[in-house]
Amino acid sequence: MTSDPKLHPSTEVLETYALGHLTGDKLEILEEHLFVCGYCQDELAEVDSYILTMKDACDTVRSEVQVAEVPPSKFADRLEGFFHRLFAIPRPVLAGAMAAFFIAIVIPIAYVGRSAETPAMVELSTSRGAGAGSIAMAPSGHPLELTLNASALRKPARAEMVNAVGKQVWAGAVTQSNGRILISIRESLPAGAYWIRYFSEDGEFLRESGLEVK
């Protein structure tokens, strides 16, 4: 480091100074430089403002977060220690780490959440037994809105869905609207083959539809 006002200390050095971690000759030389350098005085003011903002955020978190298993005094000490270490990280490094976290974790979670909430519309066809008729395709990871032409069945009252080995994975009432039979399955299904079986109000088996989830 030099006291020449034409050569300025780095932002990391100013942050270390603002946090009170600069000592010895480096501290003395920097203070001499700050005394004559308006540019670095402005830079230091920005650093101070940044640290003050972070400390305010720390105070807000400390007052709002409650952890039942940790006594308040110990939790406050741990929280203060965490933010103390956080403040010691140079801003470019901290900003890069936060950006990487956001890209790698937050965005994918938000995307998956939105994707899982969007129902997939699937058109079904019917047959009288497994292996006959066409098989509808549906994406995994989505709720399903299954539709069927009402003319294909005589007023089904309920339906059930079984997997490839005959285990029931869903059962419920069916609805009709505008000449369509509607079945809503709110939970996403894992990949595999399924059969939707339709029953009359008195329990008579009517027909079934094939569905493959990929």
Side-chain angles (χ1 to χ4, degrees), residues 10 16 25 28 32 37 98 131 146 150-151 154 160 168 183 186 209:
S10 65
T16 302
D25 293 340
E28 182 178 350
E32 290 178 0
C37 181
M98 293 300 293
L146 309 178
S151 63
R154 56 177 180 83
E160 70 173 13
Q168 186 183 92
I183 300 174
R186 299 304 180 189
S209 300

Short mmCIF file of all heavy atoms in Angstrom, two decimals, residues 10 16 25 28 32 37 98 131 146 150-151 154 160 168 183 186 209:
data_model
loop_
_atom_site.label_atom_id
_atom_site.label_comp_id
_atom_site.label_asym_id
_atom_site.label_seq_id
_atom_site.Cartn_x
_atom_site.Cartn_y
_atom_site.Cartn_z
N SER A 10 -7.92 -0.89 -2.67
CA SER A 10 -9.04 -1.64 -3.24
C SER A 10 -10.26 -1.54 -2.34
O SER A 10 -10.18 -1.14 -1.17
CB SER A 10 -8.65 -3.12 -3.40
OG SER A 10 -8.44 -3.70 -2.13
N THR A 16 -12.39 -3.80 4.87
CA THR A 16 -11.68 -4.29 6.06
C THR A 16 -11.47 -3.17 7.06
O THR A 16 -11.64 -3.35 8.28
CB THR A 16 -10.33 -4.90 5.64
OG1 THR A 16 -10.55 -5.95 4.69
CG2 THR A 16 -9.60 -5.48 6.84
N ASP A 25 0.82 -1.00 10.26
CA ASP A 25 1.26 -0.03 9.26
C ASP A 25 0.21 0.19 8.18
O ASP A 25 0.06 1.31 7.67
CB ASP A 25 2.57 -0.51 8.62
CG ASP A 25 3.74 -0.51 9.62
OD1 ASP A 25 3.63 0.19 10.64
OD2 ASP A 25 4.74 -1.21 9.36
N GLU A 28 -2.25 2.78 9.35
CA GLU A 28 -1.68 4.13 9.37
C GLU A 28 -1.56 4.70 7.96
O GLU A 28 -1.91 5.86 7.70
CB GLU A 28 -0.31 4.09 10.05
CG GLU A 28 0.35 5.47 10.16
CD GLU A 28 1.69 5.40 10.88
OE1 GLU A 28 2.01 4.33 11.45
OE2 GLU A 28 2.40 6.41 10.88
N GLU A 32 -3.66 7.96 6.28
CA GLU A 32 -2.97 9.08 5.65
C GLU A 32 -3.50 9.31 4.23
O GLU A 32 -3.69 10.45 3.80
CB GLU A 32 -1.46 8.81 5.61
CG GLU A 32 -0.78 8.83 6.96
CD GLU A 32 0.71 8.49 6.86
OE1 GLU A 32 1.17 8.24 5.72
OE2 GLU A 32 1.40 8.49 7.89
N CYS A 37 -7.33 12.08 0.00
CA CYS A 37 -7.95 11.54 -1.22
C CYS A 37 -9.47 11.62 -1.12
O CYS A 37 -10.10 10.83 -0.41
CB CYS A 37 -7.51 10.10 -1.47
SG CYS A 37 -8.22 9.40 -2.98
N MET A 98 -24.18 -15.04 -3.98
CA MET A 98 -25.62 -14.90 -3.92
C MET A 98 -26.24 -15.12 -5.29
O MET A 98 -27.30 -15.74 -5.41
CB MET A 98 -25.99 -13.52 -3.37
CG MET A 98 -25.61 -13.31 -1.92
SD MET A 98 -26.43 -14.50 -0.82
CE MET A 98 -28.14 -13.94 -0.99
N GLY A 131 -55.74 -53.47 -23.38
CA GLY A 131 -55.06 -53.86 -24.59
C GLY A 131 -55.79 -53.44 -25.85
O GLY A 131 -55.24 -53.54 -26.95
N LEU A 146 -58.35 -34.92 -17.25
CA LEU A 146 -58.68 -35.93 -18.25
C LEU A 146 -60.07 -35.66 -18.80
O LEU A 146 -61.01 -35.39 -18.02
CB LEU A 146 -58.62 -37.33 -17.63
CG LEU A 146 -57.33 -37.66 -16.87
CD1 LEU A 146 -57.42 -39.06 -16.27
CD2 LEU A 146 -56.11 -37.55 -17.77
N ALA A 150 -68.60 -37.58 -24.02
CA ALA A 150 -69.68 -38.17 -23.22
C ALA A 150 -70.46 -39.22 -23.98
O ALA A 150 -71.07 -40.12 -23.38
CB ALA A 150 -70.61 -37.07 -22.71
N SER A 151 -70.45 -39.14 -25.31
CA SER A 151 -71.20 -40.11 -26.10
C SER A 151 -70.57 -41.50 -26.05
O SER A 151 -71.19 -42.49 -26.42
CB SER A 151 -71.28 -39.64 -27.56
OG SER A 151 -69.99 -39.56 -28.13
N ARG A 154 -72.43 -44.33 -21.18
CA ARG A 154 -73.78 -43.98 -20.72
C ARG A 154 -73.73 -43.53 -19.26
O ARG A 154 -73.76 -44.32 -18.34
CB ARG A 154 -74.75 -45.15 -20.91
CG ARG A 154 -74.35 -46.45 -20.24
CD ARG A 154 -75.44 -47.51 -20.44
NE ARG A 154 -75.12 -48.78 -19.81
CZ ARG A 154 -75.34 -49.04 -18.53
NH1 ARG A 154 -75.89 -48.11 -17.76
NH2 ARG A 154 -75.01 -50.22 -18.02
N GLU A 160 -62.15 -45.06 -11.43
CA GLU A 160 -60.97 -45.37 -10.64
C GLU A 160 -59.78 -45.53 -11.59
O GLU A 160 -59.95 -45.89 -12.75
CB GLU A 160 -61.16 -46.63 -9.81
CG GLU A 160 -61.22 -47.91 -10.62
CD GLU A 160 -61.25 -49.17 -9.76
OE1 GLU A 160 -61.47 -49.05 -8.53
OE2 GLU A 160 -61.05 -50.26 -10.30
N GLN A 168 -54.95 -49.73 -7.17
CA GLN A 168 -55.68 -48.47 -7.30
C GLN A 168 -54.82 -47.30 -6.84
O GLN A 168 -54.26 -47.33 -5.74
CB GLN A 168 -56.98 -48.51 -6.50
CG GLN A 168 -57.85 -47.28 -6.70
CD GLN A 168 -59.10 -47.30 -5.83
OE1 GLN A 168 -59.11 -46.79 -4.72
NE2 GLN A 168 -60.15 -47.94 -6.35
N ILE A 183 -62.46 -35.61 -15.57
CA ILE A 183 -61.84 -36.23 -14.40
C ILE A 183 -60.62 -35.40 -14.02
O ILE A 183 -59.73 -35.18 -14.84
CB ILE A 183 -61.41 -37.68 -14.68
CG1 ILE A 183 -62.61 -38.54 -15.08
CG2 ILE A 183 -60.69 -38.28 -13.48
CD1 ILE A 183 -62.24 -39.94 -15.51
N ARG A 186 -55.52 -34.35 -8.98
CA ARG A 186 -54.75 -33.22 -8.47
C ARG A 186 -53.29 -33.54 -8.19
O ARG A 186 -52.45 -32.65 -8.18
CB ARG A 186 -55.40 -32.69 -7.18
CG ARG A 186 -56.82 -32.20 -7.38
CD ARG A 186 -56.89 -31.15 -8.46
NE ARG A 186 -58.24 -30.65 -8.68
CZ ARG A 186 -58.57 -29.85 -9.68
NH1 ARG A 186 -57.65 -29.47 -10.54
NH2 ARG A 186 -59.81 -29.44 -9.83
N SER A 209 -60.13 -46.69 -20.08
CA SER A 209 -59.24 -45.92 -20.94
C SER A 209 -57.80 -46.21 -20.54
O SER A 209 -57.48 -46.32 -19.35
CB SER A 209 -59.51 -44.42 -20.82
OG SER A 209 -60.83 -44.10 -21.19
#
